[in-house]
C-alpha cells in the first residue's frame, strides 16, 4: 500500500472513531467499549494470513496461537456485546414483544 | 499451496470485501451509539466480521487450512461458551479477557514477522523496509502489553489476584523496563536482521511490562485501564495491518484506537482522575480520611417507615451503586419501583458515570432487571431534578453522592462530578453497615438533617420496602 494513502486512511479513520464516540450517551459506554473490542477482533484475518503463510513449525505454533486468540476476541466480543444490547428496551416495548 | 481462485481475482475480491467490512464496522458502531438502534449495530458489525473472515480464506499462497479451522473452532468455541454463561456483573472482566486475546493475536502476527526476519539470510538484503519493521515492532510492543496487562486486569476483577502489589521504587523499575523494551525494539529495527534471542527477549520484556504496569492498579481504577488496553489493542491491530497491507485491519484498528482513547478520557474525567494519575499513583494516596467537620449523627429508619415515605411521595429518584449489584438487588428494586409507578409516583433512576464497574455498566445491570432505558437519566440530565424530588433513594452508592466533592477542596474527590442527592427533600440511604466507601472518605450526605439510613442487605431491605409500600394501601 502506498505510504501516503495509508496515512490518509489513518487520519480519516481516527476522526471517524472520535466522532462515533463523542455523541454516545453514557448509558451505552460499556456496550460500546465491548462493541469496539469486538471490532478489533478483525485481527483474526491477520492471524489467519500469518498462519496460512507459516513455513516452519515455530511459525505454525505462533500463528495457531494467534488465530485461537483472534477468534476468541471476535466471537467473545460479539456474544457479550449482543447479550448486553439485547436487554436495552424502552417502556412499553416489552409488551409488544410478548404479544 | 495454490489458492482457490486465480491470484489477481482473489486479491481484488478480498480488497473489495474489506471495503465492505470497513463500511459495515463503521455503520455498526454508529448504530451502537443510540439505544434504539444499538442491537442492530452489533449484528451489522458481526456480519462484517463474518464476511472478512470467510473472504480471508481466499488469500493467495496460503496453506495450513486444517490448523486454521481447528484454531478458529477452539478459540471461537471457548469464547462463545464463556460469553454465554458469564453473569452481567462480571462483564467488565470478560471484556478485558477478550481484549487481551486481541492484543495477543496482534503480538503473534508481529512475532511471526520478526522471527522470519531473524531467520532470513542477511546476505539476501532486508526482509522488510525500516518503516514496516518499525510498525511491526511497535505493534508487537503495544499488543504484548495489552495482552498481559488485560489478563492481569481480568484476574484482579475476577478475584483471582486479590491484592495490589506495590513496593518502593516500583515506578522506577517500570520506567526501566519500558526503556529497555523500547531500546531493544529500536535495536531490532536498526539492525534489520534481529537475532532470535533479541526477538524473544523483546517479547518477554513487553509482556513483563504489561504485568508490572497493571499489578499495582486498584480494582476501582480497572475500568479506565481496560479501556486504555482496548485502545492499545486497536492500535496494535492497525500497526500489524500496515505490515500485512490489510486495509480492514488498519481502518478497524485506528477507529477503535481513537474511539477507545476518547472513551478512556471520558471515564477518567468522570472519576476525576487523569489517565497518568491512574497509571502512576494510587487512589487516595497520602489523603487522610478526614472525619472532622462532620456534624450531626447518622439517623436510622425502619424499612417500613421508609416504604411509607416513598409510597406517599410524588417523585422518587433512585441512585443505584455497585453495592446494589453485588447484593443482586436490582430485580427487587425494579419491583419496588413498579409498585410506586402504579401508585402514580414518578420514578427516575440517576446513574453516575462511574456507577458499577465501568461507565454504563449500571445501565446494563438495570436493563437486565427489566428497567426501561427511558426511566434512566445520566448526571447532567438529573441533577437539576433533585430540587423537585421528594425522596432520593441511595442504594449501595457512596462516593458519587458525597457533597464534599463540591465543597471540600482538601478532599481527594474534590471536583468529581456528583449526583446532588442532598438537594432532595428527603434522602434514604440503604447501606450494609456503617463505614466509608472504597475511597475511605466519610460521606457528609449521611449526616444531613434530611437523611435517614436504612441498614441491611440491599436485597432484603428492598423486599421489606415492597411490603411497606403494599401495606400503605
Amino acid at each position: 500500500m502506498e505510504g501516503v494513502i495509508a496515512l490518509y486512511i489513518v487520519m480519516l479513520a481516527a476522526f471517524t472513531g472520535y466522532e462515533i464516540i463523542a455523541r454516545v450517551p453514557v448509558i451505552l459506554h460499556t456496550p460500546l467499549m465491548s462493541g469496539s473490542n469486538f471490532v478489533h477482533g478483525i485481527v483474526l484475518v491477520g492471524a489467519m494470513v500469518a498462519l496460512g503463510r507459516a513455513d516452519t513449525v515455530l511459525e505454525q505454533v505462533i500463528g495457531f496461537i494467534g488465530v485461537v486468540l483472534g477468534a476468541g476476541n471476535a466471537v467473545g466480543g460479539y456474544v457479550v456485546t449482543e447479550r448486553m444490547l439485547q436487554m436495552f428496551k424502552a417502556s412499553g416495548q416489552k409488551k409488544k414483544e410478548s404479544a | 499451496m495454490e489458492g482457490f481462485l486465480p491470484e489477481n481475482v482473489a486479491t481484488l475480491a478480498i480488497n473489495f470485501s474489506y471495503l465492505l467490512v470497513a463500511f459495515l464496522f463503521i455503520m455498526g458502531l454508529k448504530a451502537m451509539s443510540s439505544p434504539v438502534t444499538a442491537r442492530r449495530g452489533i449484528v451489522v458489525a458481526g456480519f462484517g466480521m463474518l464476511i472478512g473472515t470467510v473472504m480471508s480464506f481466499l488469500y493467495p499462497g496460503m496453506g495450513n487450512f486444517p490448523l486454521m479451522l481447528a484454531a478458529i473452532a477452539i478459540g471461537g468455541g471457548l469464547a462463545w461458551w464463556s460469553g454465554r454463561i458469564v453473569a452481567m456483573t462480571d462483564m467488565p472482566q470478560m471484556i478485558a479477557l477478550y481484549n487481551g486475546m486481541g492484543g495477543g493475536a496482534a503480538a503473534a502476527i508481529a512475532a511471526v514477522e520478526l522471527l522470519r526476519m531473524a531467520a532470513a539470510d542477511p546476505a539476501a538484503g532486508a526482509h522488510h523496509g525500516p518503516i514496516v519493521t518499525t510498525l511491526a515492532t511497535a505493534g508487537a510492543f503495544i499488543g504484548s502489553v495489552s495482552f498481559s496487562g488485560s489478563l492481569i486486569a481480568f484476574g484482579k476483577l475476577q478475584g483471582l489476584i486479590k491484592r495490589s502489589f506495590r513496593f518502593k521504587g516500583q515506578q522506577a523499575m517500570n520506567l526501566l523496563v519500558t526503556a529497555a523494551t523500547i531500546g531493544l525494539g529500536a535495536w531490532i529495527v536498526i539492525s534489520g536482521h534481529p537475532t532470535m534471542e533479541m526477538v524473544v527477549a523483546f517479547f518477554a520484556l513487553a509482556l513483563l511490562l504489561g504485568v508490572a504496569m497493571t499489578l499495582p492498579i486498584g480494582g476501582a481504577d480497572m475500568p479506565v485501564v481496560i479501556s486504555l488496553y482496548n485502545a492499545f489493542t486497536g492500535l496494535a491491530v492497525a500497526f500489524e495491518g500496515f505490515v500485512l497491507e490489510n486495509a480492514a485491519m488498519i481502518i478497524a484498528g485506528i477507529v477503535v484506537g481513537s474511539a477507545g482513547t476518547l472513551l478512556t478520557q471520558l471515564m477518567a474525567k468522570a472519576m476525576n482522575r487523569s489517565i497518568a494519575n491512574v497509571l502512576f499513583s494510587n487512589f487516595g494516596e497520602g489523603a487522610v480520611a478526614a472525619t472532622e467537620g462532620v456534624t450531626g449523627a447518622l439517623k436510622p429508619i425502619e424499612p417500613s417507615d421508609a416504604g411509607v415515605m416513598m409510597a406517599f411521595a410524588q417523585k422518587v429518584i433512585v441512585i443505584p451503586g455497585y453495592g446494589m449489584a453485588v447484593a443482586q438487588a436490582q430485580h427487587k428494586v425494579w419491583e419496588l419501583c413498579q409498585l410506586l409507578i402504579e401508585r402514580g409516583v414518578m420514578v427516575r433512576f440517576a446513574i453516575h458515570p462511574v456507577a458499577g464497574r465501568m461507565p454504563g455498566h449500571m445501565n446494563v445491570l438495570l436493563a437486565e432487571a427489566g428497567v426501561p432505558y427511558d426511566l434512566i437519566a445520566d448526571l447532567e440530565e438529573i441533577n437539576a431534578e433533585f430540587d423537585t424530588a421528594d425522596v432520593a433513594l441511595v442504594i449501595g452508592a457512596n462516593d458519587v453522592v458525597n457533597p464534599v466533592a463540591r465543597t471540600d477542596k482538601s478532599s481527594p474527590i474534590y471536583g468529581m462530578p456528583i449526583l446532588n442527592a442532598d438537594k432532595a427533600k428527603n434522602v434514604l440511604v440503604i447501606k450494609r453497615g456503617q463505614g466509608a466507601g472504597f475511597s475511605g472518605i466519610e460521606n457528609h450526605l449521611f449526616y444531613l438533617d434530611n437523611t435517614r439510613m436504612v441498614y441491611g442487605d440491599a436485597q432484603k431491605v428492598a423486599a421489606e420496602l415492597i411490603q411497606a409500600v403494599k401495606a400503605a394501601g
Side-chain angles (χ1 to χ4, degrees):
Chain A
M1 207 174 303
E2 299 294 323
V4 182
I5 303 268
L7 283 180
Y8 276 103
I9 295 178
V10 167
M11 185 190 72
L12 294 173
F15 276 112
T16 307
Y18 191 91
E19 285 300 313
I20 289 171
I21 287 277
R23 275 181 253 125
V24 166
V26 180
I27 73 160
L28 284 172
H29 273 178
T30 290
L32 200 81
M33 181 163 140
S34 176
S36 61
N37 177 34
F38 161 70
V39 163
H40 66 52
I42 192 72
V43 70
L44 169 62
V45 306
M48 284 167 63
V49 173
L51 174 59
R53 291 178 180 166
D55 301 319
T56 65
V57 176
L58 181 62
E59 283 175 17
Q60 281 179 335
V61 170
I62 297 172
F64 185 81
I65 295 170
V67 175
V68 168
L69 293 175
N73 183 182
V75 175
Y78 182 85
V79 171
V80 296
T81 311
E82 208 259 345
R83 267 185 70 198
M84 279 192 270
L85 291 175
Q86 206 175 11
M87 297 182 313
F88 282 91
K89 292 189 176 76
S91 318
Q93 206 174 314
K94 217 187 294 171
K95 281 174 204 139
K96 234 184 288 166
E97 271 180 27
S98 56
Chain B
M1 194 193 278
E2 285 294 306
F4 297 114
L5 289 173
E7 201 164 303
N8 52 351
V9 179
T11 309
L12 199 67
I14 288 170
N15 283 340
F16 271 100
S17 80
Y18 283 174
L19 188 67
L20 186 63
V21 169
F23 174 75
L24 291 174
F25 277 173
I26 291 169
M27 288 301 286
L29 279 174
K30 186 156 167 25
M32 270 186 251
S33 62
S34 154
V36 185
T37 53
R39 175 89 199 282
R40 204 181 316 147
I42 183 66
V43 176
V44 167
F47 199 58
M49 188 72 75
L50 194 65
I51 292 174
T53 310
V54 171
M55 292 302 285
S56 298
F57 278 101
L58 301 180
Y59 255 102
M62 291 223 303
N64 295 330
F65 286 110
L67 266 181
M68 205 182 290
L69 288 170
I72 292 175
I74 293 171
L78 283 176
W80 191 85
W81 171 76
S82 58
R84 298 251 39 123
I85 60 160
V86 62
M88 281 297 153
T89 39
D90 294 340
M91 223 31 120
Q93 56 262 45
M94 286 318 280
I95 296 175
L97 182 64
Y98 299 139
N99 176 55
M101 294 176 90
I109 295 169
V112 171
E113 291 295 325
L114 292 178
L115 287 174
R116 203 168 286 167
M117 282 174 72
D121 177 15
H127 188 74
H128 282 308
I131 295 175
V132 172
T133 317
T134 306
L135 289 168
T137 314
F141 175 51
I142 303 170
S144 303
V145 169
S146 174
F147 174 66
S148 60
S150 294
L151 289 186
I152 297 296
F154 168 79
K156 283 201 148 197
L157 289 178
Q158 187 73 23
L160 300 174
I161 304 168
K162 291 236 166 51
R163 50 182 290 255
S164 298
F165 296 83
R166 301 186 185 130
F167 52 88
K168 235 179 157 185
Q170 193 163 25
Q171 284 172 33
M173 192 202 82
N174 285 359
L175 214 64
L176 204 72
V177 177
T178 312
T181 320
I182 292 175
L184 197 52
W187 190 16
I188 289 176
V189 173
I190 292 164
S191 73
H193 291 286
T195 62
M196 188 81 167
E197 290 77 19
M198 279 161 71
V199 175
V200 172
F202 173 71
F203 276 100
L205 275 175
L207 290 170
L208 173 70
L209 180 62
V211 174
M213 258 173 74
T214 321
L215 272 179
I217 295 169
D221 284 335
M222 226 30 115
V224 178
V225 176
I226 295 173
S227 178
L228 186 69
Y229 287 149
N230 186 37
F232 273 14
T233 303
L235 278 184
V237 170
F239 286 165
E240 299 314 321
F242 277 107
V243 176
L244 300 174
E245 303 191 339
N246 185 317
M249 280 170 72
I250 298 176
I251 296 173
I254 293 289
V255 165
V256 173
S258 86
T261 306
L262 179 59
L263 197 58
T264 311
Q265 280 169 348
L266 289 176
M267 284 190 198
K269 212 172 111 194
M271 297 171 76
N272 196 32
R273 316 201 56 197
S274 71
I275 295 170
N277 203 267
V278 169
L279 288 178
F280 302 120
S281 77
N282 311 312
F283 193 92
E285 205 174 56
V288 192
T291 41
E292 61 266 15
V294 184
T295 51
L298 295 167
K299 296 164 283 293
I301 187 174
E302 284 304 309
S304 51
D305 297 332
V308 172
M309 191 194 268
M310 284 196 286
F312 293 100
Q314 283 185 339
K315 184 169 176 182
V316 174
I317 297 178
V318 183
I319 304 167
Y322 191 64
M324 181 194 75
V326 170
Q328 288 292 325
Q330 54 269 42
H331 294 270
K332 280 272 175 254
V333 169
W334 173 229
E335 201 183 322
L336 170 70
C337 293
Q338 280 173 306
L339 276 175
L340 291 173
I341 291 167
E342 276 167 34
R343 294 178 61 94
V345 180
M346 190 183 165
V347 177
R348 297 267 266 158
F349 285 84
I351 310 281
H352 191 272
V354 294
R357 277 183 150 174
M358 56 169 68
H361 187 209
M362 187 52 66
N363 304 79
V364 172
L365 296 171
L366 289 177
E368 187 193 18
V371 181
Y373 60 76
D374 40 1
L375 291 188
I376 302 173
D378 57 27
L379 189 117
E380 289 88 22
E381 267 179 87
I382 201 81
N383 258 350
E385 291 191 30
F386 279 104
D387 291 326
T388 61
D390 299 295
V391 177
L393 177 65
V394 180
I395 310 169
N398 195 339
D399 293 325
V400 298
V401 291
N402 194 344
V404 297
R406 282 200 314 260
T407 54
D408 184 2
K409 284 213 170 92
S410 66
S411 170
I413 59 168
Y414 178 74
M416 178 172 92
I418 59 155
L419 291 162
N420 298 331
D422 53 322
K423 301 265 167 83
K425 292 191 190 86
N426 296 287
V427 182
L428 290 172
V429 179
I430 301 178
K431 210 163 167 299
R432 207 154 23 157
Q434 303 181 4
F438 79 80
S439 60
I441 304 157
E442 203 60 58
N443 194 333
H444 289 227
L445 175 74
F446 301 167
Y447 295 91
L448 292 178
D449 288 337
N450 56 345
T451 303
R452 295 291 176 273
M453 308 294 292
V454 191
Y455 291 114
D457 171 72
Q459 186 163 185
K460 240 177 77 200
V461 171
E464 283 165 359
L465 289 174
I466 289 170
Q467 291 311 315
V469 172
K470 276 185 181 157

